[in-house]
């Protein structure tokens, strides 16, 4: 068995392999990939309009740029990522790059602010005009930071970092405090247990949160309880989005948060707790800004042989440093929570800082090397996440197979199961949507909260459906369309299935018609369309923009990859699996953790679109399809015991409008007639269903009224009208 130091050295070797692989891939793409492809991937903006340049609160020269085309393409630019500027000459396919690298300060829609070196040729950039573009660059800084963290952990001796290193890589029992549990009546039993286990942990604790189980709620409560005993804690996550989310929740609890770095979503609320905004709002900042301006002017007007130049410059720099230290001291002294990404925790502002407790959210998505960056500053560690969902991104196949994809959280779960608390009550999904994931990934331990167990949109509806069809009709022509078979686009975009895309939108259009336009808009029913392949995602977005039917609903429809939907949820989810071939090849759909994310995003309705003959050869998808068919048959027999087809009278099942309002509707959306030759059959018994539930228990606007059926008075009125209209009536 290898020692902790040997295991970490092996991790460093694998990380080096990943570094070389990603760097070489970036070089090849830069040389061979055309500009149109880069823009389509979201890795470049072209053309650009250059705005103003200014110095920010960190005394960095920044340049604002605006995207002029392709505003509908989602991009990958976010805070901290390195970028390169280039110019493209007409008639010349080769891009000419400027000899400097900038860093994204923040992005707001089609406006981006980039921090550039003081030596950057701003005049040349502005002179290029609309032939200027910007693209993501290879992130050397993140790798250097991770290498440095691993080196420090490997060489640590006789300190807290060395102790945690040896503890995490062994079966040694983690130390715990012993005290009576604290009651939290607003939490469920497993959430309460998790918070108490966090408080008892001397070394490490893990909160394992399956989808919808309130992991963030539990983590916020644990942070709040820790702050009752400690003056300050550190909170980190792999992505800026995850950091933003937990910062927002902590701020809502009234906790003073200082966010290092800028948020992924730029608005006043998110910016209010960032370091940069707080620094600019300090009363002493105007004085500091004036001194910095004087220093820059003094340097630009320097005279050769000036005797007092250096003395004056040093006095100003000393005064500026004094004010900056005072502002930082006040900001960090007031803050109860210091928040950043894992790599961002190596920021110069945090040099020398120590924290009693470190919280790492979404720890199952982070490389082990990245987790060690903030652990160096902490005495104990609390990790939260779900290793049964999205893994960390590893581009080197060899490094992945050798174990680089194994996270620190997984390692601790294997070595120390006693420090893990599983959250078992979920508050997101209809029970039938949740059950398959619970049985397959969590040994059936996850259950639904009573208030959302039977949540749904339409009465007598199946919460899960699987649609498969090799041939799909073309909606525009009415003729039979092309075979719903997959086709390969590229190694970066993957595969596309145009027939299945048409089927996806046709299915959504049909379901929207059943619900009713007004109800969708009034209740703001939101929809997510997920596909594992980027090519399919972009094709679906194009189709939605072209379809006139979806024009009123575009704001409530989101199309993205599985990774893009991590941490999100929607009322309705459609999943286009794309793969359809005679060989039964499903590619990276074999990564079941991604599918766990995809099938657990839906609150009330999940529709899967895929070729069963292809996907059914894998045991997971075969079991999933069988489970959905079982639900369908069971619900149909239970609700319609006398008529398994589900058709009552001549009207079909009640499927239509907002519960408790208006009239029931037929399958085609028309109102259900009160009289149609013979009285409508009585509605089936509502066995096992609670129709008084609201779609979102905590949101009054979604509250539903009890279902009401045609009463005696309405029925009598309808019969009288029918009799008066009959031939021969007096």
């Amino acid at each position: 068995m290898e020692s902790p130091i040997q295991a970490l050295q092996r991790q460093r070797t694998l990380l080096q392999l990943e570094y070389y692989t990603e760097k070489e891939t970036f070089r090849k793409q830069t040389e061979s990939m055309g500009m149109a492809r880069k823009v389509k991937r979201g890795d470049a903006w072209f053309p650009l309009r250059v705005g103003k340049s200014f110095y920010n609160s960190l005394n960095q020269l920044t340049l604002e740029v605006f995207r002029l085309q392709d505003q509908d393409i989602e991009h990958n630019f976010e805070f901290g990522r390195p970028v390169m500027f280039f110019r493209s000459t007409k008639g010349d396919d080769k891009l000419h790059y400027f000899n400097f690298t900038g860093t994204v300060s923040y992005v707001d829609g089609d406006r981006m602010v980039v921090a550039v070196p003081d030596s950057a040729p701003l005049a040349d950039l502005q002179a290029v005009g609309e032939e200027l573009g910007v693209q993501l660059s290879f992130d050397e800084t993140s790798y250097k930071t991770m290498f440095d963290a691993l080196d420090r952990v490997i060489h640590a001796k006789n300190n807290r970092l060395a102790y945690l290193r040896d503890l995490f890589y062994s079966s040694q029992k983690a130390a715990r405090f012993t005290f009576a549990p604290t009651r939290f009546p607003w939490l469920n039993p497993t959430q309460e247990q998790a918070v108490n286990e966090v408080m008892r942990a001397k070394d490490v604790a893990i909160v394992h949160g399956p989808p919808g189980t309130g992991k963030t709620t539990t983590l916020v409560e644990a942070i709040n309880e820790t702050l009752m005993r400690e003056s300050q804690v550190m909170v980190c996550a792999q992505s800026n989005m995850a950091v933003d989310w937990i910062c927002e929740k902590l701020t809502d609890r009234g906790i003073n948060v200082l966010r290092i770095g800028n948020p992924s979503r730029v608005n006043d609320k998110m910016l209010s707790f960032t370091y940069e905004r707080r620094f600019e709002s300090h009363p002493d900042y105007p004085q500091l800004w004036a001194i910095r301006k004087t220093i820059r002017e003094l340097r630009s007007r320097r005279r050769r042989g000036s005797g007092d130049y250096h003395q004056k410059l040093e006095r100003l720099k000393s005064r500026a440093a004094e004010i900056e230290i005072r502002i930082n001291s006040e900001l960090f002294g007031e803050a109860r929570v210091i928040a950043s990404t894992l790599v961002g925790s190596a920021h110069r502002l945090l040099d020398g800082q120590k924290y009693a407790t470190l919280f790492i959210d979404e720890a199952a998505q982070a490389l082990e090397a990245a987790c060690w960056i903030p652990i160096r500053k902490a005495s104990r560690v609390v990790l939260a996440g779900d290793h049964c969902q999205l893994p960390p991104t590893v581009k080197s196949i060899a490094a992945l197979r050798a174990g680089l994809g194994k996270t620190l959280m997984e390692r601790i779960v294997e070595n120390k199961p006693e420090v893990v608390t599983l959250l078992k009550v979920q508050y997101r999904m209809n029970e039938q949507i949740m059950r398959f994931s619970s049985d397959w990934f969590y040994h059936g331990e996850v259950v639904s909260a009573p208030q959302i167990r039977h949540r749904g949109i339409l009465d007598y509806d199946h919460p899960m459906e699987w649609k498969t069809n090799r041939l799909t009709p073309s909606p525009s022509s009415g003729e039979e369309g092309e075979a719903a078979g997959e086709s390969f686009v590229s190694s970066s975009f993957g595969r596309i299935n145009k027939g299945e895309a048409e089927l996806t939108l046709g299915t959504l259009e049909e379901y929207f018609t059943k619900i009713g336009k007004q109800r969708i808009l009034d209740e703001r029913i939101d929809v997510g369309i997920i596909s594992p392949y980027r090519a399919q995602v972009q094709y679906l977005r194009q189709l939605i923009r072209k379809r006139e039917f979806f024009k009123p609903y575009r704001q409530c429809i989101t199309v993205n990859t599985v990774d893009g939907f991590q941490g999100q949820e929607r009322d309705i989810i459609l999943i286009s699996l794309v793969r359809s071939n005679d060989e039964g090849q499903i590619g990276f759909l074999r990564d079941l953790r991604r599918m766990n994310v995809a099938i657990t995003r839906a609150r009330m309705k999940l529709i899967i679109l895929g070729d069963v003959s292809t996907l059914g050869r894998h045991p997971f998808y075969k079991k999933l399809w069988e489970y959905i068919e079982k639900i369908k048959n069971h619900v149909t027999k239970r609700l319609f015991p006398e008529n398994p087809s589900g058709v009552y009278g001549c009207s079909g099942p009640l499927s239509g409008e907002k519960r408790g309002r208006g009239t029931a509707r037929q399958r085609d959306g028309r109102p259900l007639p009160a009289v149609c030759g013979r009285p409508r059959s009585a509605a089936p018994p509502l066995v096992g269903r609670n129709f008084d539930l609201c779609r979102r228990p905590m949101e009054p606007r979604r509250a539903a009224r009890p279902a009401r059926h045609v009463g005696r008075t309405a029925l009598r009125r309808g019969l009288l009208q029918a009799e008066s209209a009959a031939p021969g009536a007096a």
Side-chain angles (χ1 to χ4, degrees), residues 392-433:
T393 302
V394 179
K395 295 185 179 180
S396 170
I397 303 299
L400 182 64
R401 291 175 177 172
L404 184 62
K406 187 173 185 178
T407 63
L408 184 62
M409 180 175 172
E410 288 181 87
R411 193 178 304 281
I412 298 173
V413 168
E414 287 181 4
N415 294 335
K416 295 171 180 51
E418 69 276 4
V419 305
V420 182
T421 305
L422 176 66
L423 305 181
K424 298 181 179 181
V425 183
Q426 68 90 20
Y427 299 88
R428 175 185 298 165
M429 296 162 276
N430 179 292
E431 185 178 35
Q432 292 179 342
I433 299 176

Side-chain angles (χ1 to χ4, degrees), residues 161-176:
L161 182 60
Y163 173 79
L164 292 176
R165 175 197 66 200
D166 297 339
L167 179 70
F168 294 167
Y169 277 85
S170 68
S171 55
Q172 176 187 342
K173 294 286 185 182
R176 299 172 77 249

Side-chain angles (χ1 to χ4, degrees), residues 95-106:
L95 303 178
H96 303 277
Y97 292 91
F98 287 85
N99 192 25
F100 70 92
T101 301
T103 305
V104 178
S105 183
Y106 66 87

Side-chain angles (χ1 to χ4, degrees), residues 57-74:
S57 60
L58 302 178
N59 205 27
Q60 297 171 320
L61 178 61
T62 58
L63 179 70
E64 64 175 359
V65 296
F66 299 87
R67 179 166 58 169
L68 300 179
Q69 296 180 10
D70 304 299
Q71 285 90 346
D72 56 331
I73 296 178
E74 292 190 12

